[in-house]
Amino acid sequence: MRQLVRVKPKEKRFWLLLGNVVLSQDRRLDAIAELETAASLEMLEPDGLMMLGDLYAEQKLFTEAVAIYSKLAAASPEMGVERMIRYANALTAEEKHEDAARVLDAVVPLAGEADKVALLQARATIHQTRNEWPQARERLQE
């Protein structure tokens, strides 16, 4: 895949494939590096950016995750409930509580019953980081 990227660097799909190959080898930080290189060259499409944002969030690189998710949310607001919750969690980790709450508010109409627990946990985390323990407890009890 690296050879294909070198030969045809303008082929966006090759960059994504390279990121996937590196990720399949369980080399997450290397996958981040490959995808970040592609993103800086504007060779990543939204699905590649989503993968990059997810990797950043998974590695607890919240500043970078927020930057990627913000770009994605502006370009395609239908990112999906799970990603939007990850985005809110990354915002919370960056102490951007109001932004996180707005993201969660936007997700509520899209969320199904299966997403309810994750939404409540994300809201509880916001309250915990603000030291609002009664509200956090209430969300967790829900």
Side-chain angles (χ1 to χ4, degrees):
M1 284 312 306
R2 280 198 177 93
Q3 186 63 26
L4 277 174
V5 167
R6 281 188 200 116
V7 172
K8 295 189 175 192
K10 300 277 188 214
E11 284 288 330
K12 292 181 180 185
R13 64 190 170 108
F14 291 160
W15 286 96
L16 182 59
L17 288 171
L18 175 59
N20 277 312
V21 167
V22 173
L23 187 58
S24 74
Q25 297 169 343
D26 203 29
R27 297 173 28 216
R28 294 187 180 324
L29 292 178
D30 291 334
I32 287 172
E34 296 293 351
L35 293 171
E36 187 61 51
T37 300
S40 69
L41 296 171
E42 298 182 5
M43 289 291 121
L44 273 188
E45 294 178 346
D47 53 344
L49 286 172
M50 284 185 201
M51 181 190 300
L52 181 58
D54 293 346
L55 284 168
Y56 277 140
E58 181 183 294
Q59 296 299 311
K60 301 195 182 333
L61 299 168
F62 297 117
T63 302
E64 293 82 1
V66 166
I68 296 294
Y69 286 144
S70 296
K71 185 186 292 189
L72 282 168
S76 59
E78 67 286 340
M79 285 174 36
V81 174
E82 186 179 331
R83 275 203 179 86
M84 293 296 282
I85 292 171
R86 271 191 234 137
Y87 178 30
N89 287 332
L91 286 167
T92 300
E94 287 291 301
E95 298 184 10
K96 297 179 179 176
H97 303 114
E98 291 78 22
D99 293 339
R102 273 194 295 278
V103 168
L104 292 175
D105 289 342
V107 168
V108 170
L110 307 171
E113 194 62 34
D115 303 311
K116 186 175 182 180
V117 171
L119 277 168
L120 289 169
Q121 286 176 329
R123 289 204 188 271
T125 302
I126 292 171
H127 291 301
Q128 286 172 335
T129 58
R130 289 179 171 171
N131 292 322
E132 299 170 347
W133 299 109
Q135 295 92 331
R137 188 177 308 115
E138 182 181 319
R139 295 289 188 214
L140 290 172
Q141 286 174 342
E142 281 182 57

